[in-house]
Amino acid sequence: MKSNNEKKIKLQLDLSVSELAYIVRILIELGIAKNKSKAEVYSWCCENIATKKAEDISFNAIKNKCNIPQNISIIKVGKLIKEMYSLAMRDQYKYLS
C-alpha cells in the first residue's frame, strides 16, 4: 500500500493528450477496451497515464478529446499505427518464417 506522500507511478507516453484520447477512442470503437462504460476507461487513463506535457490528465480533457478528435491527432495516430503495423510485419517474418 502506498503512503499518502508517495507519488503513483504512471505510464509515461510520448503523446499529446489529444493523441492519447484518439487512441482510446479507437480502442473503445474496436471493442478492445471492454470496461462497462467509457467513463471507466477515461478514469483509468487519468489515474495511470501521463503524457509528454501533462503529468495529470483531467477526466473532461480526455472525454472531450475522445468525443471530438483533433485533425492533427488523427493524422499523427494514423502514422503511429502504420509504424506499429510495420513492426508487426517485421516480427512476423522474423519469428514466424
Side-chain angles (χ1 to χ4, degrees):
M1 196 97 187
K2 291 195 181 295
S3 66
N4 289 339
N5 58 359
E6 276 189 70
K7 193 168 187 174
K8 181 175 183 168
I9 297 173
K10 294 185 176 187
L11 177 63
Q12 300 285 324
L13 297 179
D14 189 22
L15 299 169
S16 68
V17 174
S18 294
E19 292 160 0
L20 170 63
Y22 188 60
I23 290 170
V24 168
R25 178 188 174 110
I26 291 169
L27 294 174
I28 291 169
E29 283 189 29
L30 290 176
I32 295 169
K34 295 281 191 187
N35 296 67
K36 293 179 199 172
S37 67
K38 292 178 185 179
E40 282 185 357
V41 179
Y42 304 154
S43 292
W44 185 90
C45 290
C46 294
E47 292 170 14
N48 296 288
I49 297 175
T51 65
K52 58 186 172 186
K53 291 186 179 176
E55 181 64 30
D56 295 309
I57 303 168
S58 78
F59 180 89
N60 284 335
I62 200 155
K63 176 185 170 193
N64 293 338
K65 291 173 189 294
C66 273
N67 290 332
I68 305 169
Q70 295 179 346
N71 293 346
I72 191 69
S73 296
I74 295 168
I75 292 166
K76 286 183 176 181
V77 169
K79 288 179 182 178
L80 179 61
I81 291 169
K82 286 179 185 177
E83 289 176 27
M84 293 169 75
Y85 178 78
S86 293
L87 290 174
M89 290 296 96
R90 178 203 66 194
D91 288 345
Q92 181 177 352
Y93 292 117
K94 184 175 181 180
Y95 297 110
L96 302 178
S97 296

